[in-house]
Amino acid sequence: MAFWVLIEPCIYKMIRASRAKSAANTDEEVLTPARTQARQLLQPIDEFFLFLVFLSVGLKERDLAHRFNIHQSTVSSIIATWTSFLATALGSQCIWLTRAEVQAYLPKEFKGFSDTQVILDCTELRCQTPSSPLLQSETYSSYKSHCTMKALVGIAPHGPVTFISDLYAGSVSDKELFKQSGIAEKLTEDMAVMVDKGFLITDCCKCKVYRPPFVSKQKKNQVKEMQATVRLGLHVERVIRRIKQNKLFDGIITMSPVYNINQLFAVACMLSNYQNTALVQKRVK
Protein backbone atom coordinates (compact mmCIF):
# COMPACT_ATOMS: atom_id res chain seq x y z
CA MET A 1 0.00 0.00 0.00
CA ALA A 2 2.91 2.35 0.70
CA PHE A 3 4.21 1.75 -2.83
CA TRP A 4 0.71 2.20 -4.26
CA VAL A 5 0.52 5.65 -2.64
CA LEU A 6 3.72 6.58 -4.50
CA ILE A 7 2.48 5.57 -7.96
CA GLU A 8 -1.25 6.33 -7.69
CA PRO A 9 -0.86 10.00 -8.79
CA CYS A 10 0.67 8.78 -12.08
CA ILE A 11 -2.06 6.27 -12.94
CA TYR A 12 -3.96 8.72 -15.11
CA LYS A 13 -0.95 8.83 -17.49
CA MET A 14 -1.14 5.10 -18.12
CA ILE A 15 -1.69 4.03 -21.74
CA ARG A 16 -3.44 0.70 -22.16
CA ALA A 17 -1.56 -1.98 -24.09
CA SER A 18 -4.65 -2.61 -26.22
CA ARG A 19 -4.81 1.06 -27.22
CA ALA A 20 -1.09 1.23 -27.96
CA LYS A 21 -1.40 -1.84 -30.19
CA SER A 22 -4.42 -0.39 -31.98
CA ALA A 23 -2.58 2.89 -32.53
CA ALA A 24 0.44 1.05 -33.92
CA ASN A 25 -1.75 -0.78 -36.44
CA THR A 26 -3.25 2.50 -37.68
CA ASP A 27 -0.06 4.60 -37.44
CA GLU A 28 -1.73 6.78 -34.82
CA GLU A 29 0.55 8.65 -32.45
CA VAL A 30 -0.32 8.02 -28.80
CA LEU A 31 0.84 10.94 -26.69
CA THR A 32 -1.78 11.00 -23.95
CA PRO A 33 -4.17 8.46 -22.49
CA ALA A 34 -7.57 8.34 -24.13
CA ARG A 35 -10.20 10.37 -22.26
CA THR A 36 -12.85 7.77 -22.87
CA GLN A 37 -11.69 4.20 -22.67
CA ALA A 38 -13.59 0.97 -22.52
CA ARG A 39 -15.03 0.17 -19.13
CA GLN A 40 -12.39 -1.35 -16.87
CA LEU A 41 -13.37 -4.63 -15.31
CA LEU A 42 -10.98 -4.10 -12.39
CA GLN A 43 -10.04 -1.03 -10.42
CA PRO A 44 -6.43 0.16 -10.97
CA ILE A 45 -5.35 -1.02 -7.51
CA ASP A 46 -6.75 -4.49 -8.26
CA GLU A 47 -4.97 -4.54 -11.62
CA PHE A 48 -1.75 -3.66 -9.81
CA PHE A 49 -2.38 -6.49 -7.36
CA LEU A 50 -2.98 -8.90 -10.25
CA PHE A 51 0.34 -7.85 -11.78
CA LEU A 52 2.18 -8.41 -8.48
CA VAL A 53 0.57 -11.85 -8.10
CA PHE A 54 1.71 -12.73 -11.62
CA LEU A 55 5.27 -11.57 -10.86
CA SER A 56 5.66 -12.74 -7.27
CA VAL A 57 3.63 -15.95 -7.21
CA GLY A 58 4.16 -16.88 -10.86
CA LEU A 59 0.54 -17.88 -11.51
CA LYS A 60 -0.41 -18.59 -15.11
CA GLU A 61 -2.68 -16.20 -16.97
CA ARG A 62 -5.47 -18.77 -17.15
CA ASP A 63 -5.32 -19.23 -13.36
CA LEU A 64 -5.39 -15.45 -12.81
CA ALA A 65 -8.36 -15.12 -15.16
CA HIS A 66 -10.30 -17.63 -13.05
CA ARG A 67 -9.30 -16.03 -9.72
CA PHE A 68 -10.16 -12.48 -10.82
CA ASN A 69 -13.22 -13.56 -12.82
CA ILE A 70 -12.07 -11.94 -16.08
CA HIS A 71 -11.10 -13.21 -19.53
CA GLN A 72 -7.59 -14.52 -20.12
CA SER A 73 -6.97 -11.94 -22.84
CA THR A 74 -7.83 -9.22 -20.31
CA VAL A 75 -5.23 -10.65 -17.95
CA SER A 76 -2.62 -10.52 -20.73
CA SER A 77 -3.53 -6.91 -21.47
CA ILE A 78 -3.31 -5.92 -17.79
CA ILE A 79 0.11 -7.55 -17.41
CA ALA A 80 1.42 -5.86 -20.56
CA THR A 81 0.00 -2.48 -19.52
CA TRP A 82 1.45 -2.56 -16.00
CA THR A 83 4.79 -3.93 -17.17
CA SER A 84 5.18 -1.01 -19.55
CA PHE A 85 3.84 1.54 -17.05
CA LEU A 86 6.09 0.47 -14.16
CA ALA A 87 9.12 0.15 -16.43
CA THR A 88 8.52 3.75 -17.54
CA ALA A 89 7.61 5.14 -14.11
CA LEU A 90 10.42 3.44 -12.18
CA GLY A 91 12.87 3.77 -15.07
CA SER A 92 12.37 7.54 -15.10
CA GLN A 93 14.15 7.63 -11.73
CA CYS A 94 17.94 7.50 -12.06
CA ILE A 95 19.03 4.53 -9.97
CA TRP A 96 22.75 5.02 -10.69
CA LEU A 97 24.25 6.87 -7.73
CA THR A 98 27.00 9.46 -7.84
CA ARG A 99 30.27 8.77 -6.07
CA ALA A 100 29.32 11.27 -3.34
CA GLU A 101 25.96 9.54 -2.75
CA VAL A 102 27.62 6.13 -2.45
CA GLN A 103 30.20 7.52 -0.04
CA ALA A 104 27.50 9.11 2.10
CA TYR A 105 25.88 5.71 2.77
CA LEU A 106 29.01 3.55 2.73
CA PRO A 107 28.76 0.81 5.41
CA LYS A 108 31.68 0.60 7.82
CA GLU A 109 32.28 -2.98 6.64
CA PHE A 110 33.58 -1.45 3.40
CA LYS A 111 36.18 0.65 5.22
CA GLY A 112 39.03 -1.19 3.50
CA PHE A 113 37.30 -0.81 0.10
CA SER A 114 36.01 2.74 0.46
CA ASP A 115 36.26 3.55 -3.26
CA THR A 116 33.81 0.75 -4.20
CA GLN A 117 31.10 2.22 -6.41
CA VAL A 118 29.24 -0.93 -7.43
CA ILE A 119 29.26 -4.68 -6.81
CA LEU A 120 28.50 -6.67 -9.97
CA ASP A 121 27.32 -10.17 -10.77
CA CYS A 122 25.50 -11.94 -13.59
CA THR A 123 22.33 -13.96 -13.29
CA GLU A 124 20.56 -16.29 -15.71
CA LEU A 125 16.86 -16.94 -16.31
CA ARG A 126 15.83 -20.22 -17.89
CA CYS A 127 13.76 -19.63 -20.99
CA GLN A 128 11.75 -21.55 -23.54
CA THR A 129 13.95 -23.40 -26.05
CA PRO A 130 13.78 -21.59 -29.42
CA SER A 131 12.77 -23.63 -32.47
CA SER A 132 15.67 -22.23 -34.48
CA PRO A 133 18.91 -24.29 -34.09
CA LEU A 134 20.93 -21.06 -34.38
CA LEU A 135 19.01 -19.39 -31.54
CA GLN A 136 19.29 -22.57 -29.49
CA SER A 137 23.08 -22.47 -29.73
CA GLU A 138 23.15 -18.75 -28.87
CA THR A 139 20.91 -19.06 -25.83
CA TYR A 140 22.26 -22.37 -24.51
CA SER A 141 24.13 -21.99 -21.23
CA SER A 142 26.63 -24.67 -20.34
CA TYR A 143 26.45 -23.48 -16.72
CA LYS A 144 22.68 -24.06 -16.48
CA SER A 145 22.53 -26.84 -19.11
CA HIS A 146 19.51 -25.07 -20.56
CA CYS A 147 18.60 -22.17 -22.81
CA THR A 148 18.82 -18.99 -20.75
CA MET A 149 18.77 -15.22 -20.82
CA LYS A 150 21.55 -13.48 -18.95
CA ALA A 151 21.70 -10.09 -17.23
CA LEU A 152 24.26 -8.04 -15.34
CA VAL A 153 23.07 -6.60 -12.03
CA GLY A 154 24.92 -4.06 -9.91
CA ILE A 155 24.30 -2.84 -6.38
CA ALA A 156 25.76 -0.06 -4.26
CA PRO A 157 27.69 -1.17 -1.15
CA HIS A 158 24.71 -0.32 1.08
CA GLY A 159 22.34 -2.54 -0.90
CA PRO A 160 20.11 -0.85 -3.50
CA VAL A 161 20.17 -1.97 -7.13
CA THR A 162 21.93 0.75 -9.13
CA PHE A 163 22.46 -0.97 -12.48
CA ILE A 164 20.42 -3.42 -14.58
CA SER A 165 21.52 -4.50 -18.03
CA ASP A 166 19.28 -5.79 -20.79
CA LEU A 167 18.83 -9.54 -21.05
CA TYR A 168 21.32 -11.20 -23.41
CA ALA A 169 21.62 -14.69 -24.88
CA GLY A 170 22.79 -17.17 -22.26
CA SER A 171 25.97 -18.13 -24.13
CA VAL A 172 27.51 -14.66 -23.72
CA SER A 173 30.49 -14.48 -21.36
CA ASP A 174 30.53 -12.31 -18.24
CA LYS A 175 33.28 -10.16 -19.75
CA GLU A 176 31.42 -9.63 -23.03
CA LEU A 177 28.21 -8.83 -21.16
CA PHE A 178 30.11 -6.27 -19.08
CA LYS A 179 31.39 -4.59 -22.24
CA GLN A 180 28.03 -4.59 -24.03
CA SER A 181 26.01 -3.44 -21.00
CA GLY A 182 27.45 0.08 -21.06
CA ILE A 183 28.38 0.21 -17.38
CA ALA A 184 32.05 0.77 -18.19
CA GLU A 185 31.17 4.28 -19.42
CA LYS A 186 29.70 5.10 -15.99
CA LEU A 187 32.85 4.17 -14.09
CA THR A 188 35.65 6.70 -13.56
CA GLU A 189 39.25 6.27 -12.48
CA ASP A 190 38.54 7.29 -8.88
CA MET A 191 35.95 4.50 -8.51
CA ALA A 192 36.30 0.77 -7.93
CA VAL A 193 34.12 -2.18 -8.85
CA MET A 194 33.83 -5.41 -6.86
CA VAL A 195 33.29 -8.66 -8.78
CA ASP A 196 33.58 -12.43 -8.48
CA LYS A 197 36.83 -14.09 -9.50
CA GLY A 198 35.30 -15.21 -12.81
CA PHE A 199 34.93 -11.59 -13.96
CA LEU A 200 38.11 -10.93 -15.93
CA ILE A 201 37.36 -7.29 -16.72
CA THR A 202 40.55 -5.54 -15.60
CA ASP A 203 41.58 -4.83 -19.18
CA CYS A 204 38.22 -3.37 -20.27
CA CYS A 205 37.47 -0.80 -17.58
CA LYS A 206 39.45 2.21 -16.41
CA CYS A 207 38.65 1.89 -12.71
CA LYS A 208 40.08 -0.34 -10.02
CA VAL A 209 38.72 -3.90 -9.82
CA TYR A 210 38.42 -5.81 -6.54
CA ARG A 211 38.40 -9.47 -7.55
CA PRO A 212 39.45 -12.54 -5.54
CA PRO A 213 42.58 -14.04 -7.19
CA PHE A 214 42.73 -17.57 -8.56
CA VAL A 215 46.16 -18.34 -7.08
CA SER A 216 46.25 -20.36 -3.87
CA LYS A 217 49.63 -19.32 -2.45
CA GLN A 218 49.25 -15.85 -0.99
CA LYS A 219 50.64 -13.75 1.80
CA LYS A 220 48.68 -13.39 5.02
CA ASN A 221 47.48 -9.84 4.24
CA GLN A 222 46.43 -10.94 0.73
CA VAL A 223 44.41 -13.81 2.22
CA LYS A 224 42.57 -11.42 4.54
CA GLU A 225 41.83 -9.05 1.66
CA MET A 226 40.60 -11.95 -0.48
CA GLN A 227 38.31 -13.21 2.30
CA ALA A 228 36.88 -9.72 2.80
CA THR A 229 36.30 -9.30 -0.95
CA VAL A 230 34.51 -12.63 -1.18
CA ARG A 231 32.37 -11.89 1.89
CA LEU A 232 31.35 -8.41 0.75
CA GLY A 233 30.85 -9.55 -2.82
CA LEU A 234 28.18 -11.98 -1.64
CA HIS A 235 25.79 -9.08 -1.03
CA VAL A 236 24.96 -8.79 -4.72
CA GLU A 237 24.10 -12.49 -4.77
CA ARG A 238 21.67 -11.89 -1.90
CA VAL A 239 20.01 -9.08 -3.85
CA ILE A 240 19.74 -11.28 -6.94
CA ARG A 241 18.28 -14.04 -4.77
CA ARG A 242 15.69 -11.56 -3.49
CA ILE A 243 14.81 -10.59 -7.07
CA LYS A 244 14.49 -14.22 -8.11
CA GLN A 245 12.20 -14.94 -5.20
CA ASN A 246 9.62 -13.72 -7.68
CA LYS A 247 8.30 -17.12 -8.76
CA LEU A 248 7.89 -15.97 -12.36
CA PHE A 249 11.65 -16.43 -12.72
CA ASP A 250 11.69 -19.81 -10.97
CA GLY A 251 10.59 -21.95 -13.87
CA ILE A 252 11.07 -21.82 -17.61
CA ILE A 253 9.97 -18.44 -18.97
CA THR A 254 7.70 -18.59 -21.99
CA MET A 255 8.56 -16.01 -24.62
CA SER A 256 5.31 -14.09 -24.86
CA PRO A 257 4.52 -11.68 -27.73
CA VAL A 258 2.24 -9.74 -25.35
CA TYR A 259 4.65 -8.41 -22.72
CA ASN A 260 8.35 -7.59 -22.68
CA ILE A 261 10.46 -9.94 -20.53
CA ASN A 262 13.29 -7.34 -20.50
CA GLN A 263 10.93 -4.84 -18.91
CA LEU A 264 9.52 -7.43 -16.50
CA PHE A 265 12.98 -8.30 -15.20
CA ALA A 266 13.93 -4.62 -14.88
CA VAL A 267 10.71 -3.91 -12.95
CA ALA A 268 11.41 -6.82 -10.58
CA CYS A 269 14.92 -5.46 -9.96
CA MET A 270 13.70 -1.92 -9.33
CA LEU A 271 10.85 -3.09 -7.08
CA SER A 272 13.44 -4.78 -4.86
CA ASN A 273 14.68 -1.31 -3.91
CA TYR A 274 11.29 -0.64 -2.29
CA GLN A 275 11.58 -3.66 -0.01
CA ASN A 276 15.19 -3.03 0.87
CA THR A 277 16.56 -4.36 4.16
CA ALA A 278 20.07 -4.43 5.55
CA LEU A 279 22.37 -6.67 3.54
CA VAL A 280 25.62 -5.82 5.29
CA GLN A 281 25.72 -7.29 8.73
CA LYS A 282 28.44 -7.93 11.26
CA ARG A 283 30.05 -11.29 10.89
CA VAL A 284 29.15 -13.67 13.67
CA LYS A 285 32.29 -15.10 15.24
Side-chain angles (χ1 to χ4, degrees):
M1 289 304 299
F3 182 77
W4 170 255
V5 169
L6 291 176
I7 63 170
E8 188 178 14
C10 305
I11 297 298
Y12 75 95
K13 297 180 180 179
M14 182 186 294
I15 295 173
R16 295 278 154 187
S18 55
R19 181 170 179 243
K21 184 178 179 181
S22 175
N25 292 336
T26 58
D27 291 330
E28 175 191 346
E29 190 174 7
V30 181
L31 297 177
T32 57
R35 292 185 180 180
T36 57
Q37 295 184 348
R39 182 176 64 89
Q40 290 178 226
L41 297 174
L42 296 177
Q43 292 298 312
I45 192 170
D46 296 321
E47 289 188 351
F48 176 55
F49 179 63
L50 183 151
F51 173 81
L52 290 181
V53 171
F54 171 75
L55 181 66
S56 303
V57 188
L59 297 183
K60 301 298 182 183
E61 292 177 24
R62 186 175 179 180
D63 189 349
L64 289 168
H66 175 72
R67 291 172 185 266
F68 285 82
N69 196 27
I70 55 178
H71 195 273
Q72 186 173 334
S73 62
T74 306
V75 172
S76 299
S77 177
I78 289 172
I79 293 170
T81 298
W82 277 89
T83 299
S84 178
F85 170 71
L86 289 174
T88 303
L90 298 178
S92 66
Q93 305 298 313
C94 181
I95 60 174
W96 180 259
L97 303 179
T98 64
R99 176 165 163 72
E101 288 170 331
V102 172
Q103 291 298 308
Y105 295 98
L106 191 74
K108 61 182 180 180
E109 285 78 9
F110 279 83
K111 185 178 180 181
F113 307 92
S114 59
D115 52 355
T116 301
Q117 175 71 17
V118 64
I119 310 170
L120 296 173
D121 199 9
C122 285
T123 186
E124 295 184 62
L125 309 176
R126 291 187 298 165
C127 66
Q128 184 180 11
T129 303
S131 56
S132 165
L134 177 61
L135 289 177
Q136 285 182 29
S137 63
E138 288 181 350
T139 57
Y140 185 80
S141 166
S142 55
Y143 179 69
K144 294 288 186 179
S145 299
H146 201 281
C147 290
T148 66
M149 296 173 289
K150 193 172 185 178
L152 180 68
V153 177
I155 68 166
H158 61 290
V161 175
T162 58
F163 183 82
I164 312 157
S165 77
D166 288 336
L167 290 167
Y168 290 80
S171 61
V172 69
S173 67
D174 293 347
K175 182 176 182 178
E176 186 62 26
L177 180 48
F178 176 85
K179 291 194 290 185
Q180 292 188 27
S181 68
I183 191 173
E185 286 72 30
K186 296 179 177 290
L187 300 168
T188 57
E189 293 181 358
D190 59 342
M191 297 177 179
V193 59
M194 189 173 286
V195 294
D196 189 33
K197 63 181 179 181
F199 264 82
L200 307 177
I201 59 171
T202 308
D203 61 337
C204 54
C205 72
K206 52 193 172 185
C207 69
K208 187 175 182 180
V209 178
Y210 292 120
R211 179 175 60 84
F214 283 102
V215 291
S216 56
K217 293 183 180 180
Q218 302 163 31
K219 295 180 181 179
K220 187 175 180 180
N221 62 330
Q222 291 177 319
V223 171
K224 287 184 177 180
E225 181 178 335
M226 181 197 72
Q227 290 174 340
T229 305
V230 171
R231 185 174 71 252
L232 296 174
L234 288 175
H235 299 316
V236 69
E237 294 183 16
R238 293 175 185 169
V239 172
I240 289 173
R241 195 179 308 128
R242 177 191 295 163
I243 293 166
K244 295 176 81 170
Q245 282 177 348
N246 291 294
K247 300 299 182 184
L248 177 65
F249 305 128
D250 256 4
I252 297 173
I253 298 172
T254 303
M255 306 309 291
S256 171
V258 179
Y259 44 82
N260 188 317
I261 187 61
N262 248 316
Q263 289 185 334
L264 263 175
F265 181 72
V267 167
C269 291
M270 289 185 284
L271 282 176
S272 71
N273 285 344
Y274 292 86
Q275 57 186 41
N276 199 15
T277 55
L279 290 171
V280 182
Q281 298 177 352
K282 290 184 178 180
R283 194 176 181 185
V284 179
K285 296 183 179 180

